[in-house]
Amino acid sequence: NPVLQPKTVLIPLDVTHQVFATKEEQEMVLHGTFGRRKTTSNVRRMYHDLLMFFGKTYADVFGLKDGPPLHDPVAVAVLVHDCPDVSTRISFDDHGGERWDVQVELAGDEIGRTRIVPAKTGIMIPRSFDLKHFWRALNECLDTVEEKLADEQ
């Protein structure tokens, strides 16, 4: 769709597999930055438990022992890629504006096969992103949820 292509960002596994929730990140999720919390909130415990569930699955099925990759949170992080607030923005490296025409076979023997070719306008497919800022933003999101829930109690 020529209208949607310039508004679309495709996050491939090469990018999401740059984001492993290692022991350090698992601790950050559970206790916040610098382990500043004496107690763990239900929100942080739930998110940590999800990471551990997927971590076990990735270790058992794919042999990824360092921690699970975070696919969905990285895809959601794209929403703040162009945020005007620099402290919120998560920068994705698109090689200086590189864009792609993406076609997916919808029928036949090659159904599901994806073909990409360079294009002047098209879909953004980043190669990497600001990982440190991503983890900081994720921690801040967990802080915000904790604060909102505390306000409601």
Side-chain angles (χ1 to χ4, degrees):
N1 183 317
V3 174
L4 293 179
Q5 271 190 332
K7 301 175 184 180
T8 303
V9 179
L10 184 115
I11 302 295
L13 289 175
D14 324 17
V15 173
T16 61
H17 278 202
Q18 294 171 28
V19 186
F20 285 92
T22 64
K23 295 285 184 203
E24 181 180 345
E25 284 82 20
Q26 293 167 22
E27 284 298 309
M28 179 275 299
V29 165
L30 197 55
H31 301 292
T33 306
F34 308 117
R36 67 178 187 224
R37 287 173 176 72
K38 293 179 182 171
T39 59
T40 300
S41 70
N42 289 338
V43 169
R44 286 183 179 275
R45 170 68 60 199
M46 180 191 70
Y47 199 80
H48 183 267
D49 288 351
L50 281 169
L51 284 177
M52 297 299 86
F53 170 79
F54 286 107
K56 180 175 177 355
T57 303
Y58 274 99
D60 293 348
V61 176
F62 301 108
L64 299 174
K65 308 266 187 227
D66 292 335
L70 273 69
H71 303 291
D72 295 348
V74 175
V76 171
V78 167
L79 297 174
V80 294
H81 171 68
D82 289 328
C83 182
D85 179 359
V86 176
S87 66
T88 304
R89 183 181 310 148
I90 296 175
S91 299
F92 283 79
D93 179 9
D94 65 353
H95 283 213
E98 188 176 66
R99 295 295 178 266
W100 302 90
D101 181 33
V102 178
Q103 299 295 320
V104 179
E105 293 298 325
L106 301 176
D109 292 340
E110 294 188 330
I111 192 167
R113 181 173 179 152
T114 304
R115 292 182 172 80
I116 64 171
V117 294
K120 287 189 179 196
T121 61
I123 293 174
M124 176 180 150
I125 305 175
R127 310 284 177 93
S128 64
F129 67 105
D130 185 345
L131 190 55
K132 184 177 180 179
H133 191 85
F134 168 80
W135 284 113
R136 187 173 76 231
L138 181 67
N139 184 60
E140 289 171 1
C141 287
L142 290 168
D143 284 345
T144 300
V145 171
E146 285 179 311
E147 290 166 13
K148 297 288 183 190
L149 289 174
D151 290 346
E152 291 176 7
Q153 294 179 358

